[in-house]
Amino acid sequence: MQRNRFARRSFVACLVAGAFGVLASGAAQAEVPAGYRAEYRLSTTLGTAFPWGQAGERWIELVKEKTQGRINIKLYSGNSLVGGDQTREFTAIRQGVIDLSIGSTINWSPQIKELNLFSLPFLMPDYKAMDALTQGEVGKELFAVLEKRDVIPLAWGENGFRELSNSKRAVAAPADLKGLKLRVVGSPLYNETFTALGANPTQMSWADAQPALASGAVDGQENPLSVFVAAKLPTVGQKHLTLWHYVADPLIFVVNKNVWNSWTPADREAVRQAALQAGRENVDKARKGIAGNDTAVLKQIEASGVTVTRLTAEQRAAFVQATRPVYDKWARQIGADLVKKAEAAIAAKR
Ligand code: X2X
């Protein structure tokens, strides 16, 4: 009995010692340099039902892995750190309210006029054109602009080519847009583009857009197909879809400059490599079922009873012509040199 009790006691002592050992070695493994915070905040607009939010999850996971847990990040989707107002996100990153973000060029364009480049109507005809910009000199120049604004850009991702949907009728010509109430987001460039086409644009956040579509307060919207599907827009009356590829929004992975500077060079490199990998995976995901020979997503949309209108070259030309004055005006605002460089980079891929 006595011996038994003793044996039991020493067994418990062993367990306790063992547990301390694990804790001690765990702490040694994740030794966190001075100045690191327990948690950093990553902002996105869309959540984990979308490729965009999934990119956030993936970046977080890869950073944790590559820094052995020294850098822990939490995802705040729905732009919840700025009350859902995606056009305030960039300012909040600069102010340090947000530590990291994967943001759309559209949402940051009110503060960074150069990012309106991707919203110039019909600048980029296809994915090759988009890649020519983000993966080339133009992309580097845009990153330099961000860096001058205290935000460290690390990698490109993708929301996608933005296609037009509405609840009223098929749209194959500018005249079909006449009087349609369309939700748009971001810079005044969108208002001017849709006004030039005869539509009635109204600016609102994504959070407000979904109830506005459901109640019929607006007739239509423009977003990439991955968003159209994951947000189930056909269930809120969006029965007519026009594939016109008029603009696309890449995503940019960034870190607030002070946060960046608080990390060791090795951890900065780990965060950068994680962003590059998550960005590549995000681009693949954003194009899946939409691009090239894989049109599974389009088939799914058509099967759900949505009319899909594909423009002929002639029909597309009518939209290009109607929006040309807006293009020219905004090219000057964005910077004539940058736009010329972009046009040349696209032309070189044709
Ligand atoms: O609000 C939109 O339309 C969205 C989700 O695509 C962006 O954040 C630009």
Side-chain angles (χ1 to χ4, degrees):
M1 207 50 191
Q2 188 82 19
R3 197 180 285 163
N4 229 344
R5 202 177 297 148
F6 180 74
R8 205 178 301 145
R9 215 180 276 157
S10 60
F11 175 66
V12 169
C14 266
L15 275 186
V16 170
F20 270 112
V22 168
L23 278 180
S25 71
Q29 226 173 39
E31 202 175 305
V32 175
Y36 276 42
R37 297 217 302 266
E39 194 171 272
Y40 297 91
R41 291 179 292 199
L42 166 62
S43 173
T44 63
T45 300
L46 298 177
T48 54
F50 302 81
W52 189 341
Q54 289 156 15
E57 266 184 336
R58 186 69 177 129
W59 192 17
I60 289 171
E61 175 184 80
L62 288 168
V63 166
K64 188 170 190 165
E65 192 180 296
K66 288 178 192 292
T67 64
Q68 285 88 43
R70 283 185 297 277
I71 296 177
N72 288 295
I73 304 166
K74 185 171 170 195
L75 180 64
Y76 291 82
S77 59
N79 290 116
S80 58
L81 297 170
V82 283
D85 183 353
Q86 61 220 65
T87 59
R88 281 170 42 211
E89 186 179 60
F90 190 80
T91 305
I93 303 165
R94 292 194 72 184
Q95 292 170 339
V97 173
I98 291 168
D99 301 313
L100 306 93
S101 174
I102 305 173
S104 160
T105 49
I106 298 174
N107 296 337
W108 298 350
S109 63
Q111 291 81 34
I112 311 275
K113 67 175 173 29
E114 289 86 348
L115 293 182
N116 280 297
L117 177 71
F118 299 98
S119 302
L120 278 178
F122 303 102
L123 166 67
M124 299 174 289
D126 50 27
Y127 286 106
K128 249 202 262 176
M130 186 168 13
D131 293 342
L133 300 189
T134 59
Q135 305 308 310
E137 280 309 310
V138 168
K140 282 195 195 120
E141 213 167 290
L142 291 171
F143 272 17
V145 170
L146 289 177
E147 217 161 324
K148 273 197 210 113
R149 306 285 289 275
D150 301 330
V151 167
I152 307 297
L154 299 177
W156 293 93
E158 186 162 307
N159 195 21
F161 272 102
R162 302 177 72 87
E163 317 295 3
L164 180 72
S165 76
N166 81 92
S167 59
K168 299 282 190 211
R169 54 183 173 260
V171 172
D176 298 327
L177 279 168
K178 194 151 188 61
L180 279 188
K181 267 188 144 175
L182 299 178
R183 175 269 174 175
V184 293
V185 65
S187 84
L189 168 51
Y190 283 83
N191 279 324
E192 291 178 30
T193 297
F194 284 98
T195 301
L197 289 169
N200 186 2
T202 171
Q203 201 172 321
M204 67 181 78
S205 71
W206 174 246
D208 292 339
Q210 295 169 89
L213 289 165
S215 71
V218 294
D219 304 315
Q221 62 87 47
E222 44 77 66
N223 248 298
L225 295 183
S226 64
V227 179
F228 183 80
V229 170
K232 302 189 172 66
L233 293 189
T235 66
V236 289
Q238 297 298 291
K239 294 293 186 199
H240 304 283
L241 181 66
T242 298
L243 304 182
W244 64 341
H245 269 42
Y246 85 123
V247 300
D249 53 331
L251 302 177
I252 309 179
F253 291 61
V254 301
V255 180
N256 165 285
K257 191 178 178 181
N258 292 331
V259 170
W260 180 255
N261 288 336
S262 75
W263 291 335
T264 64
D267 280 345
R268 284 180 215 160
E269 187 53 23
V271 172
R272 181 193 303 281
Q273 290 307 325
L276 287 167
Q277 187 176 333
R280 280 190 300 268
E281 291 176 12
N282 171 236
V283 170
D284 286 346
K285 227 180 227 182
R287 295 181 188 182
K288 198 167 159 37
I290 293 169
N293 295 326
D294 179 9
T295 55
V297 168
L298 263 177
K299 290 204 183 95
Q300 184 191 336
I301 291 170
E302 282 185 299
S304 72
V306 172
T307 23
V308 177
T309 302
R310 295 170 174 81
L311 300 182
T312 63
E314 226 167 79
Q315 286 171 329
R316 182 177 179 277
F319 284 98
V320 174
Q321 198 188 344
T323 53
R324 195 64 208 190
V326 177
Y327 184 110
D328 291 337
K329 176 189 164 188
W330 276 84
R332 286 191 296 275
Q333 270 172 246
I334 292 163
D337 285 350
L338 181 64
V339 174
K340 272 203 201 98
K341 234 179 244 177
E343 289 168 343
I346 292 167
K349 295 283 176 188
R350 305 208 68 71

